[in-house]
Amino acid sequence: MNLSMDVKLIKVGTAAGAGTTDVVSDVVDTQGFNGVAFFGSLAAVNSANYAQAAQGLQSNMSDAAPLSGSKATPAANGDSFLLDISRPIKRYVQLTIKRGVSTAIGDVYAVLYSPMHSPTVHGSTISAVSKLTSPDEGTP
């Protein structure tokens, strides 16, 4: 079975040039999934540049609270972060990239995993999905 059939991939943030303002992702609705993993990249490493997650019961995140232990700081310039939240307690989750020191960021994605029901449809910006099983070698 292909991984793409057991996950929902969503682009939740667009790359941003160097700056020091926080970048907040789209809100992710985790209903029907057992977990969500966020990943993206930061151009400049600094202890003040990191990703963190919050969760809430309201879709507008008006009741959001940061998740304990959710700070993810890449180790080297240009490295990616992965923040994996298994069984979030509240339905809605959002990522914030803190930029205490000027840095650019790459696109940010969320992967919802362990669906309660299949099949899974990806986010609207994921427009090309190829599923291969035991493919022969040759022209792509």
Side-chain angles (χ1 to χ4, degrees), residues 121-136:
V121 177
H122 299 288
S124 62
T125 61
I126 310 301
S127 61
V129 177
S130 295
K131 298 176 186 174
L132 307 173
T133 303
S134 304
D136 285 334

Side-chain angles (χ1 to χ4, degrees), residues 5-7 30-35 87-88 112-120:
M5 296 172 69
D6 285 328
V7 300
T30 64
Q31 185 174 15
F33 293 88
N34 286 309
R87 297 189 315 260
L112 291 153
Y113 59 86
S114 297
M116 311 238 180
H117 306 284
S118 290
T120 298

Side-chain angles (χ1 to χ4, degrees), residues 53-119:
Q55 67 180 358
L57 293 172
Q58 303 299 316
S59 62
N60 65 2
M61 299 300 283
S62 60
D63 64 334
L67 295 176
S68 178
S70 70
K71 183 177 177 180
T73 308
N77 290 344
D79 273 4
S80 297
F81 63 84
L82 174 64
L83 188 71
D84 190 349
I85 305 160
S86 180
R87 297 189 315 260
I89 296 170
K90 296 181 180 171
R91 178 175 173 176
Y92 299 99
V93 182
Q94 188 172 43
L95 186 78
T96 298
I97 298 177
K98 298 287 192 174
R99 300 192 295 176
V101 174
S102 185
T103 189
I105 62 168
D107 289 341
V108 178
Y109 291 89
V111 179
L112 291 153
Y113 59 86
S114 297
M116 311 238 180
H117 306 284
S118 290

Side-chain angles (χ1 to χ4, degrees), residues 5-46:
M5 296 172 69
D6 285 328
V7 300
K8 180 176 184 178
L9 180 62
I10 307 168
K11 182 179 177 184
V12 295
T14 302
T20 56
T21 58
D22 291 353
V23 176
V24 180
S25 78
D26 295 340
V27 176
V28 176
D29 183 351
T30 64
Q31 185 174 15
F33 293 88
N34 286 309
V36 60
F38 292 94
F39 65 93
S41 62
L42 297 172
V45 171
N46 185 286

